[in-house]
Amino acid sequence: MTKWIIDNWKYKYNIIVVFANTGKERNETLDFVERCDKYFGFNCVWVEAITNPEHRKGVRAKIVDYKTASRNGEPFEAMIAKHGMPSVKSPHCTRELKKYTIQAYARSIGWKHWFTAIGIRIDEIDRVAPDAKKQRFVYPLVSDIPTRKNDINKFWSEQPFDLELKTYEGNCDLCFKKSFRKLMTIVNETPETINWWAEMEQKYSAFIPISKSHNPLMKPPINCFRQNKSIWDIVKMAKQPFEVAVDESQYKPEYKQASLFDLCELDISNGCVESCEVF
């Protein structure tokens, strides 16, 4: 999408490519952003959130780069220390570390009004924000060049590099939006991903932020994963027999494009919706 935008819209708009790093992206993702930047000439700006611990004070954006970007969850933990553990019902990590951080950067360079392009595809159109016009969101892969998953796989099969991640791994290593099946597959394949999440639960599962202290339903322990399960619950589940997640990143030349009816029948929860939610 980014390449298409630059190729087709650079004469109509002032375009800035921004990558907001949370500190919990996989190393493959950081490598991929850097390779895209150099190969396609994106001139990407890397930013990270600086969380103000004071109540009702918003984030600021710090400019980093591939070499200086956080890789041990530092921005993510600072966000947890103020807002508490994120979850499916309260995904404030995306809000604070992605959406608000990018907005803070745009304001810092003097921008007052802008459009945000988001890479949602036509086959995941249910993820388009209902108030997209109000928020000035645009979805080129839906409205301008209708694109499906296999089209994306085909594009990358023709490039000299790829993301080098299985589809179920996603960008954030153990994102709570992943299905249990995916999480169990990942903890079995890469058990080193467990440690950071276990440390966060130990530090913050009993913490209720000021903004939610009035909510009687907020009762510790507060864990990230679905059904309020802890990382150790996931590990325990992964020791039992289960159907492992499948990688769907390969291009299939004879792939049959799904009709709108077919899309209604698909298990949409098996797609990117389980990873870092777009805004």
Side-chain angles (χ1 to χ4, degrees), residues 222-238:
I222 301 170
N223 298 314
C224 282
F225 303 102
R226 297 173 189 272
Q227 302 173 19
N228 200 36
K229 291 191 180 297
S230 71
I231 185 62
W232 296 117
D233 291 329
I234 303 298
V235 172
K236 184 177 181 181
M237 292 163 58

Side-chain angles (χ1 to χ4, degrees), residues 15 26 40 47-48 72 78 81 110 121 124-125 139-140 148 171 184 186 188 208 243:
I15 299 169
R26 293 180 61 113
F40 296 118
V47 296
E48 291 181 358
N72 297 303
R121 307 183 308 266
E124 47 184 4
I125 196 170
Y139 301 89
R148 292 174 168 81
N171 293 320
M184 290 187 292
I186 294 169
N188 281 346
I208 298 178
E243 184 179 356

Side-chain angles (χ1 to χ4, degrees), residues 8 11 16 73 105 112 167 170 203 252 255:
N8 292 273
Y11 300 111
I16 296 180
Y105 168 72
K112 295 182 179 179
T167 49
K203 287 183 177 180
K252 301 176 182 177
Y255 176 78

